[in-house]
Amino acid sequence: MQVYTTPKLNKVKVTSDFWKRYRELVVKEVLPYQWKVMNDEADISISEDPQNNGQDKNSHAIANLKIAAGQMKGHHYGFPFQDTDVYKWLEAAAYSFGYHPNPDLKKITDNLIDLIADAQEDDGYLSTYFQIDAPERKFKRLQQSHELYTMGHYIEAGVAYHHETGNEKALDIAKRMADCIDKNFGLEEGKIHGYDGHPEIELALSRLYEETGEKRYLDLAHYFLNQRGQDPAFFEKQIKADGDSPDRDLIPGMRDFPREYYLAAEPIKDQKVPHGHAVRVVYLCTGMAYVARYTGDKDLLAACDRFWNDIVKRQMYITGNIGQTTTGEAFTYDYDLPSDTDYGETCASVGMSFFARQMLNIHAKGEYGDVLEKELFNGALSGMALDGKHFFYVNPLEADPAASKGNPGKSHVLTHRADWFGCACCPANLARLIASVDEYLYTVNGDTILSHQFISNEAEFDDGLKIVQTNHFPWSGDIHYEIENPNDKSFKLGIRIPSWSANFDLEVNGSAKDLPVEDGFIYLDVDDKSLTIDLKLDMDVKVMRASNRVSDDFDKVAIQRGPIVYAAEQTDNQAPLSLYEVTPGAKTEYKFDKKLLDGVGVVKVAAKRQKIDDENAPLYVDASKPVETESAELTMVPYYAWANRENGQMRVWLNK
C-alpha cells in the first residue's frame, strides 16, 4: 500500500445550492453591475455613504487607468487607492472563470489587462494618482499613499488571472511591479528603509512567490514585516521631508492617527495585541501567517497567535464582525462590543477569512475553521444584498432608521444597503471571496487532508482521489462524504466538528463509529478504495449569551442555529424591538421557508413584550411599579439576510 506524502488538490467544484446561488449571482449581477459603476455608466447614488466622503456618483476608476495610459486627458479622481476597486473586481472575475466560463467577460478582462499594461510605467510602477497628478511624490508619503497597497491588490489579481487563464501578460505586470518595489525598498544604501501605511503588499508578494517560485518576492515580503516599527518615526520623517503642511496630505486627517493605528509603533515581534484599523490588522496578519509558514519565522508565528487570540476571544462580534468604532474603522479595547455603533466593516470580515485560512495551513485547529465559517455565513455575507447590487460597508448588530438619522454618532449605520460608496473597497472584496470560496474548503497538511467547511463539493486530488461531500447545509446538519481512492493510497482525513455542535453522530460505511475530537477535528485513516462517511451535527436552536465581561451584552441573549446567527427585524415583529424579552430556556421553532429571502431557515422564539408607555407618561417612574407584559413570538431570520425587505429596526442581541 502506498502512502500520500503531499496530496495535491487539483480542483474543487462547489455543488452547494446555497453557495451556487451566490457564485452565479457574482457572474450574472455583481460583476456586470460593478463594471458599469467603475466605468461611470451606472445610474447610482452614493449620497448615503457612511464614510461621508463627499464624492458624487462617479467612480472614475477605469478612467484613471486610461488617463495614466495616455488614452484620455484629465486629472485623477477619487482616493489614491481608487485603482484597487478595479483590481479586486478583476480578481473576482478571474475566479469566476473557474466555475462559469464566460467568453464575453473574458474579452473585457483581457482588454483590461492590456489597459493596465499600458498604464504601467517602464520601471514597473503603477499607481494612477501619482502618475497623473503627483509624479514627484512617488513613495514619499507612504503613511497615506497606499502605493504598495494598490500594487499589492494588482499583484493578487494578476496571480489569480494567470492561475485561472494562463495569461502571461497578467503575471508579467505583477512581476514588474514587485521588481519595481524590490528596487526601491530594502536595507541597502539608497533604498527606502520603510513600508506602506496599509499592509497588503506582504500577502500579495507571498502569493506571487507561490505562483512563480521566485524566492526574492518572499524575501521582500519578509523584509516589510520585519521592518515595520523598527523606526517608529518613519512616517513622520517622510511627511516632514515631503512638506509638513496639512494641505499636502493625500487623505485629510490620516496624519492624526497614532503610530499604533498603522501597527508601526514598535516591531511586530514586540506588539502584544493588535491596535488600529481593523482591515490593516487582518491583512497584516494574513501576510505574517503566509511568511511564517514559508520561512519558519517563529517571531511572526507567535505574533499571529497573539493577534488571533486577542481578536477572536476579546474583540469579535458573535457574527464574526471586527472593528468596533467608526473613528478610523478601528479596534478599540478588549470586550468593548457595542451593537448599535458597531462598525464591523465588510472588508474586515473578508480579511479575517484570509487570516483564518492561512492559520489552517499552519495549525490543524478547528477554531480557525469555526471562525472562517462564521465569516462566510454571517459577517462577510451580510455585506451584500440578495440582488447583488446593494452593499453594506458597516455591519451593525442593532439598527434603527430613526437613530441613524437623528444621532450623528450613529450616522455611519445604514439600515438599507447602498448602491455604492465613495470608498468602495468592500463590494469587490466580497465578490472575490465568494468567487473563490472553493479554495477555502480543504487544507492539506503533510499526508492529512482537512475538510473544515460543510459546503457541498466535488474535490479531485492527484492520483485519482476524489472526495464528494453532499448536504443541505447550513439548514441541515446531515453531512455525507463519498471517497474514491482507486490507487489504494493511505492518507488521513480530518473532519472539523464545529464548536456549536455539542453532540454529533458518525457512521463509516454504515457502521457507527466513536472517534475522539482532537483540536476540533476527528481523524479517519483512509486506506480503502472507497469509503462513505455520514456525520450528523447538532442543529438545535441555541440561545446564546456573551461573556459577562462584555458590558453591552449583559443580560442579553442571541439566537443561533448551526453557524447561522439570527436577527429580529421590524418587518416581522412589532416595533420597538427593545420591548421584547427572551428567557434562556425559551421555546423555539425552526422551519425552512423556500419562498422567503431566496430560501432561509426561520426561527420563531417565544417571548414576552412589554406594553409601551403612553407618550404622555412621565419620563422616569418608580421601578417598583410593575410593567405590563404580554406573550409574544419573535420571528427571526439569518443576520446575513437582514435589510432585504422593508426598512426598519433590527436586533441581534435581545433583552433577557
Side-chain angles (χ1 to χ4, degrees), residues 43-351:
D43 183 17
I44 61 170
S45 170
I46 57 174
S47 59
E48 293 180 293
D49 185 351
Q51 291 305 287
N52 299 312
N53 286 310
Q55 294 182 228
D56 60 25
K57 68 179 182 178
N58 290 323
S59 161
H60 212 62
I62 296 296
N64 288 336
L65 285 165
K66 289 181 177 179
I67 295 168
Q71 298 178 14
M72 283 178 61
K73 298 289 186 181
H75 286 283
H76 182 275
Y77 180 87
F79 286 96
F81 50 82
Q82 204 82 348
D83 303 352
T84 63
D85 296 351
V86 179
Y87 301 155
K88 283 181 277 190
W89 178 90
L90 176 63
E91 187 179 350
Y95 296 133
S96 77
F97 295 142
Y99 63 89
H100 189 127
N102 187 334
D104 292 335
L105 180 60
K106 180 72 162 39
K107 289 178 183 177
I108 292 172
T109 53
D110 281 346
N111 289 335
L112 177 57
I113 293 293
D114 291 339
L115 172 61
I116 294 169
D118 289 344
Q120 187 174 33
E121 296 190 349
D122 291 342
D123 66 353
Y125 182 92
L126 178 50
S127 182
T128 61
Y129 169 76
F130 293 93
Q131 291 171 265
I132 296 168
D133 287 341
E136 76 287 354
R137 298 181 71 185
K138 293 175 184 175
F139 298 139
K140 290 184 178 178
R141 212 177 189 86
L142 289 159
Q143 182 204 57
Q144 306 164 16
S145 72
H146 291 74
E147 287 161 279
L148 305 187
Y149 168 86
T150 297
M151 285 192 270
H153 271 301
Y154 176 79
I155 290 171
E156 286 201 83
V159 166
Y161 202 78
H162 176 261
H163 194 78
E164 295 292 342
T165 70
N167 186 302
E168 291 293 338
K169 181 183 280 190
L171 186 63
D172 185 59
I173 296 168
K175 291 191 292 186
R176 292 177 62 217
M177 279 184 182
D179 293 343
C180 171
I181 296 167
D182 193 31
K183 289 175 184 174
N184 283 277
F185 289 84
L187 294 177
E188 298 88 345
E189 187 176 350
K191 291 188 175 182
I192 301 168
H193 301 175
Y195 40 86
D196 199 279
H198 196 311
E200 152 65 24
I201 191 63
E202 301 85 355
L203 73 93
L205 288 168
S206 299
R207 293 188 63 186
L208 186 60
Y209 163 70
E210 287 180 325
E211 189 72 6
T212 65
E214 175 56 65
K215 188 173 179 295
R216 186 163 47 90
Y217 300 141
L218 178 64
D219 291 342
L220 185 56
H222 203 179
Y223 157 78
F224 281 126
L225 292 167
N226 284 334
Q227 186 63 19
R228 184 169 290 273
Q230 295 291 347
D231 178 4
F234 169 70
F235 290 142
E236 290 97 314
K237 290 175 181 176
Q238 272 211 321
I239 288 172
K240 186 175 181 180
D242 185 49
D244 202 22
S245 172
D247 62 14
R248 296 276 291 170
D249 283 345
L250 300 169
I251 302 176
M254 291 301 292
R255 69 163 64 200
D256 299 329
F257 291 112
R259 293 169 180 172
E260 289 83 0
Y261 179 83
Y262 300 98
L263 299 116
E266 56 186 344
I268 288 173
K269 66 182 178 62
D270 298 325
Q271 295 184 30
K272 303 304 180 191
V273 294
H275 290 289
H277 184 246
V279 177
R280 281 174 167 83
V281 168
V282 289
Y283 277 20
L284 181 76
C285 288
T286 304
M288 288 196 298
Y290 257 124
V291 173
R293 175 161 60 101
Y294 285 126
T295 66
D297 188 322
K298 293 181 180 179
D299 288 335
L300 288 182
L301 181 55
C304 287
D305 291 335
R306 287 196 307 274
F307 283 22
W308 175 274
N309 286 332
D310 190 73
I311 294 171
V312 171
K313 296 178 181 178
R314 291 179 281 276
Q315 297 203 74
M316 176 178 281
Y317 287 89
I318 192 172
T319 52
N321 299 114
I322 55 173
Q324 300 98 312
T325 177
T326 182
T327 303
E329 308 173 339
F331 289 108
T332 54
Y333 60 93
D334 288 351
Y335 305 110
D336 176 42
L337 294 166
S339 294
D340 58 345
T341 57
D342 167 22
Y343 203 75
E345 183 182 344
T346 301
C347 277
S349 288
V350 171

Side-chain angles (χ1 to χ4, degrees), residues 1 41 50 77 110 121 181 192 194 256 279 284 298 327 435 445 467 471 491-492 553 575 620 626 628-629 654:
M1 181 179 298
E41 296 172 352
Y77 180 87
D110 281 346
E121 296 190 349
I181 296 167
I192 301 168
D256 299 329
V279 177
L284 181 76
K298 293 181 180 179
T327 303
N445 286 325
I467 300 177
N471 57 54
F491 68 96
K492 192 182 291 285
D553 297 336
Y620 304 101
E628 282 191 76
T629 63
L654 309 166

